[in-house]
Amino acid sequence: MLRDRDEKAEAELKAAAEARKEKLRAETAMSSVPQEIFDSTDPMLEARLTELTEDALRLLRGRGHMPSQEAISSLPLEPVASEEIAGFLHSLASRPDAGRPPLLEGIENEFFGVLIDTYLTARAAMQRRALNLLKDGLDLSPEAGLDRLTSDLVTTLASLGKKGSDERLENLCKQIATAVVVASPALGDEP
Amino acid sequence: MRTRTADEVRRQAIEAFAHELVASHLVVGMQPAGGRESEAALVSLVAALHTAVASGTAMPLRLDLSPECISHQGEAIASASLQARRLLQCAQIQGIEAICFGEGLTPVEAGRLMALLLDKDHDQRWQPDALANAMRHRGIRSVQFVLQTGAGAKKPNLTTDVREAMRQYQDLADALHENNTLARRDLDLDMASASTVIERAIQQLEVEPSGLLAVATKDSVDRFTTGHSVRVALLALRVARAAGATRNQLLQVGTAALLHDIGKSKVPHEVLFKQGSLNNEEWAYLAEHPRLGAQILLEQPVVDPTAVGAAFSHHVCGNGTRGYPRSPFPIPPGSTSRLVRVCDVFEALTSVRPYKRALTPCEAYTVMFRAEGDFDPRWLHFFVRTLGAFPQGSHVRLDDGSEALVMEQGTRADRPIVRLLSGAGGTALLPGQPDRVPIGELHEGQVRQVAAVLTPDRTIDTGAGPSEWLTQTAHSPCLRRTHSGSA
């Protein structure tokens, strides 16, 4: 009876250790820590996970002790020498203050870029959604094809020549780029 | 190195169990019944209970569930409570004051317990007889519920400001968790709830920022990386506010930062929980989470271009030519994405993970500046200058041995204004003792300095004098470690 209980407990604990290992593996894979610092594909990671889970297993079997401060201290820590910190702070202090960075700058261009990326890489339904958002964003009629778009661009360019506006020119270029990418059969299937 | 006392070991084991209880409740509520991740969470819960038994914790282990937090013998377990909103709500609806866990608990039984707590058909207070029947019917023998009585449960030991900060943090975590669940099920996100909680966080950061930022560092339940995203949002709000953002701009930046990792909810479990190392193809799938996140946000009835951009570009470096996802053409990240990227990496470096230790802010800045080209230099510089050597919410020890919380930046980056948590030498604060202290300035006849930074797992000496940062004088280490082997 006691043996059965021990075996059952051992099986549960092994399962617990394995579950913990999986959890750690998932967390490492999803981390935002730069890969140069902590590489989740590093083969040593497996050794680290095994070590951690074995510690847990020993503890759970009642033969180990709670993780000591030493054990916690043995977890990986990116080495940063105090001299390097001092050097960094010194160099930071010697740089001119660049002031406040602009907020919400480049959002529109980034958004159009993401829409075109989505059009080129996503599944069909998502492609249609991206195309519709592109058309909405560029104020084009839903049925506008490349000919119609080109005609609109020519008209706009002609008016540009009279007024001369950098912002309008940039917007126009964006429309041309979008139209070329969206209409190019080589880059994506027609949705 | 100091050996922990038996009481500390027991307290840590109980906290770990509370953590697994919250995580199991979240996972089972999100995953299909019997799913691999649910099973793993339940096994971890039982393992944590065994650890508590091994630490000498008296059984059954009783955890009290008040509306705001989980507690044990009147002591609030803040770290596990920060993502416990759902569990605490379930307990309130069903009239449960406490749960007592016996050492015979098995994963199967724990699964039945979660099913009982998550039972949508039972949205009312339990009557004792009905509860006894339900427990018997479901085969739950190792767990007992303590039902609420008219007398009311004993309140856990929380000050009003900590309680308020916890509530705010729980709101943020819960809104994000809800949206992750909706995304995983291919349903429309609740963008309104995300905006509402960000709006409240903006207000809280204006009134008393350090409380919320300090509470954020204590979140130990980071299943689905919810805590990470909440902390990134708080950092982004803090920095954007310093950059002069209007309230509307703060709302945009905060929402974008909160949802920047929403794509992770779509990464298949077979990739996430694969046995063994990921192959190149699987790694490539994982690296698609920014694109998946952007697509989730593009599918919403109302599209927020700032949030779409941050979800897509937060791993993109420079002008769109490096990092991931790889696009057929370079997409230059917008300003918000570049800020979120800085906050994202800083948060990852300064938080404890089961597989790595936490860096101090100065260490993290130094590491980030090693790869300065991976970030927008304007945001990186501004971020460092805004947060300073001791960011708001940091836990520090002063040169008289008292411990304190950084409330706000002072006249220099190394001279914050702190709130004392203990008196000199770690003694209790005396009644009427001033608890706000400007560092490096004469206050109540004393000039105090920050002597050490306390991270969750390290104490790092700051050196004898103030750092040279922003004073443009001689070289002097800002931080000098007391622990060998960490440099």
Side-chain angles (χ1 to χ4, degrees):
Chain A
M1 177 93 173
L2 196 62
R3 193 175 158 190
D4 285 352
R5 196 178 149 185
D6 277 354
E7 281 175 4
K8 189 182 163 205
E10 180 130 343
E12 260 181 21
L13 297 176
K14 278 186 177 162
E18 198 48 52
R20 178 164 173 75
K21 208 165 150 182
E22 283 192 22
K23 195 168 75 178
L24 292 179
R25 201 179 277 123
E27 285 198 42
T28 53
M30 301 296 271
S31 171
S32 285
V33 177
Q35 271 204 34
E36 306 78 54
I37 295 169
F38 193 89
D39 183 359
S40 64
T41 58
D42 179 356
M44 284 307 291
L45 179 63
E46 196 63 24
R48 164 64 55 188
L49 295 180
T50 303
E51 197 180 307
L52 278 170
T53 46
E54 280 177 1
D55 286 350
L57 191 63
R58 272 199 297 277
L59 169 74
L60 294 168
R61 289 169 76 174
R63 292 179 204 156
H65 304 283
M66 287 298 285
S68 63
Q69 207 60 40
E70 288 84 354
I72 292 170
S73 300
S74 73
L75 281 171
L77 179 71
E78 175 68 11
V80 191
S82 54
E83 293 75 18
E84 188 185 1
I85 297 174
F88 153 68
L89 294 176
H90 183 72
S91 79
L92 188 70
S94 62
R95 294 185 200 191
D97 185 354
R100 295 170 170 181
L103 280 154
L104 306 179
E105 180 193 70
I107 305 291
E108 200 187 345
N109 278 345
E110 179 187 40
F111 183 61
F112 279 112
V114 176
L115 288 179
I116 296 170
D117 175 276
T118 306
Y119 179 81
L120 296 176
T121 62
R123 63 184 194 279
M126 201 61 230
Q127 278 186 324
R128 277 193 293 278
R129 174 75 171 148
L131 189 58
N132 285 335
L133 286 167
L134 274 169
K135 286 176 174 173
D136 288 349
L138 295 173
D139 202 20
L140 303 173
S141 60
E143 65 279 2
L146 189 57
D147 290 346
R148 167 73 184 279
L149 179 64
T150 307
S151 152
D152 286 353
L153 292 178
V154 169
T155 311
T156 314
L157 268 174
S159 71
L160 251 184
K162 291 173 194 165
K163 295 178 183 173
S165 156
D166 286 348
E167 194 182 333
R168 290 185 70 194
L169 185 61
E170 188 183 326
N171 198 35
L172 188 62
C173 292
K174 195 190 302 164
Q175 290 185 39
I176 295 168
T178 305
V180 168
V181 171
V182 170
S184 168
L187 292 172
D189 295 329
E190 195 62 34
Chain B
M1 194 173 289
R2 191 175 71 86
T3 309
R4 289 176 302 161
T5 64
D7 275 350
E8 286 172 330
V9 169
R10 270 196 292 278
R11 195 165 58 240
Q12 194 182 8
I14 292 166
E15 278 181 20
F17 177 71
H19 163 120
E20 293 298 342
L21 178 67
V22 174
S24 299
H25 187 260
L26 285 173
V27 174
V28 176
M30 186 186 237
Q31 305 298 323
R36 188 180 176 85
E37 202 178 341
S38 295
E39 280 180 10
L42 296 168
V43 167
S44 288
L45 174 68
V46 172
L49 185 67
H50 289 186
T51 307
V53 172
S55 74
T57 303
M59 290 288 128
L61 169 54
R62 171 175 168 147
L63 294 180
D64 290 275
L65 308 175
S66 71
E68 63 267 342
C69 76
I70 302 172
S71 59
H72 176 66
Q73 296 181 344
E75 288 285 324
I77 306 176
S79 57
S81 300
L82 290 169
Q83 290 193 41
R85 168 63 55 80
R86 307 221 149 183
L87 175 63
L88 297 173
Q89 276 178 345
C90 278
Q92 290 307 305
I93 291 168
Q94 298 184 18
I96 297 165
E97 181 178 307
I99 309 179
C100 303
F101 298 87
E103 66 179 295
L105 183 71
T106 63
V108 171
E109 211 176 343
R112 292 171 184 159
L113 169 68
M114 294 303 156
L116 186 71
L117 288 169
L118 290 161
D119 187 354
K120 287 190 169 52
D121 295 333
H122 189 85
D123 56 353
Q124 56 189 321
R125 298 169 74 87
W126 282 107
Q127 294 305 314
D129 289 349
L131 177 60
N133 278 337
M135 301 279 270
R136 200 167 38 246
H137 177 69
R138 289 176 185 261
I140 303 171
R141 287 184 293 274
S142 306
V143 178
Q144 295 293 324
F145 287 159
V146 178
L147 295 180
Q148 292 168 347
T149 61
K154 187 183 167 191
K155 289 231 169 192
N157 60 334
L158 289 173
T159 59
T160 310
D161 50 346
V162 170
R163 183 174 285 130
E164 179 55 23
M166 280 183 66
R167 196 179 64 78
Q168 295 272 355
Y169 189 93
Q170 286 172 344
D171 282 349
L172 284 160
D174 193 48
L176 183 57
H177 186 77
E178 174 65 17
N179 276 314
N180 278 329
T181 307
L182 292 169
R184 189 170 283 213
R185 293 176 183 163
D186 289 326
L187 299 171
D188 282 350
L189 302 186
D190 186 354
M191 297 294 281
S193 78
S195 296
T196 304
V197 293
I198 288 292
E199 187 83 65
R200 286 197 208 125
I202 293 167
Q203 286 167 10
Q204 176 76 8
L205 290 174
E206 279 170 6
V207 178
E208 213 288 84
S210 59
L212 186 52
L213 294 167
V215 154
T217 64
K218 298 194 184 309
D219 184 3
S220 67
V221 182
D222 212 5
R223 208 63 65 96
F224 311 119
T225 70
T226 305
H228 164 72
S229 295
V230 171
R231 288 187 292 274
V232 169
L234 293 174
L235 284 168
L237 285 174
R238 168 86 185 80
V239 178
R241 187 164 171 258
T246 62
R247 208 172 178 80
N248 217 24
Q249 288 172 329
L250 283 174
L251 193 58
Q252 281 179 271
V253 170
T255 307
L258 186 69
L259 298 175
H260 79 278
D261 262 344
I262 191 86
K264 284 182 179 173
S265 59
K266 299 289 269 188
V267 175
H269 281 186
E270 53 270 30
V271 174
L272 261 183
F273 292 93
K274 189 203 167 199
Q275 298 272 355
S277 302
L278 297 177
N279 61 33
N280 287 344
E281 194 182 340
E282 288 158 342
W283 179 251
Y285 204 118
L286 205 57
E288 278 295 284
H289 82 264
R291 183 174 271 131
L292 294 171
Q295 291 178 7
I296 289 168
L297 293 165
L298 284 173
E299 282 177 314
Q300 302 311 307
V302 178
V303 177
D304 175 352
T306 315
V308 169
F312 187 90
S313 305
H314 68 277
H315 285 292
V316 172
C317 303
N319 216 22
T321 49
R322 288 176 295 122
Y324 62 91
R326 290 292 167 91
S327 196
F329 56 96
I331 301 174
S335 189
T336 303
S337 304
R338 297 196 294 265
L339 168 61
V340 169
R341 172 160 174 74
V342 171
C343 300
D344 185 40
V345 174
F346 177 81
E347 201 291 318
L349 289 173
T350 53
S351 63
V352 180
R353 296 281 194 275
Y355 52 87
K356 76 160 193 65
R357 300 170 72 193
L359 296 181
T360 66
C362 276
E363 288 171 331
Y365 299 150
T366 307
V367 167
M368 290 167 81
F369 268 84
R370 284 178 190 163
E372 193 176 350
D374 285 356
F375 303 95
D376 179 332
R378 292 171 302 176
W379 273 124
L380 185 57
H381 279 246
F382 191 77
F383 181 88
V384 173
R385 286 184 190 273
T386 302
L387 265 59
F390 310 109
Q392 283 176 317
S394 298
H395 195 174
V396 294
R397 182 175 296 145
L398 306 186
D399 53 0
D400 64 356
S402 55
E403 292 193 5
L405 192 68
V406 175
M407 301 288 287
E408 56 191 273
Q409 301 304 323
T411 50
R412 281 182 12 184
D414 59 343
R415 292 184 178 179
I417 295 166
V418 303
R419 190 179 75 209
L420 293 179
L421 301 172
S422 70
T427 56
L429 278 175
L430 299 171
Q433 186 175 347
D435 64 351
R436 280 178 72 92
V437 175
I439 295 300
E441 292 176 21
L442 187 64
H443 182 75
E444 301 284 323
Q446 211 179 343
V447 177
R448 280 181 268 206
Q449 305 290 352
V450 174
V453 178
L454 310 177
T455 72
D457 58 4
R458 287 193 301 154
T459 301
I460 300 99
D461 191 353
T462 59
S467 79
E468 303 305 319
W469 189 14
L470 299 185
T471 60
Q472 303 195 31
T473 52
H475 282 269
S476 168
C478 168
L479 301 173
R480 176 165 53 80
R481 290 186 184 81
T482 52
H483 292 183
S484 60
S486 50

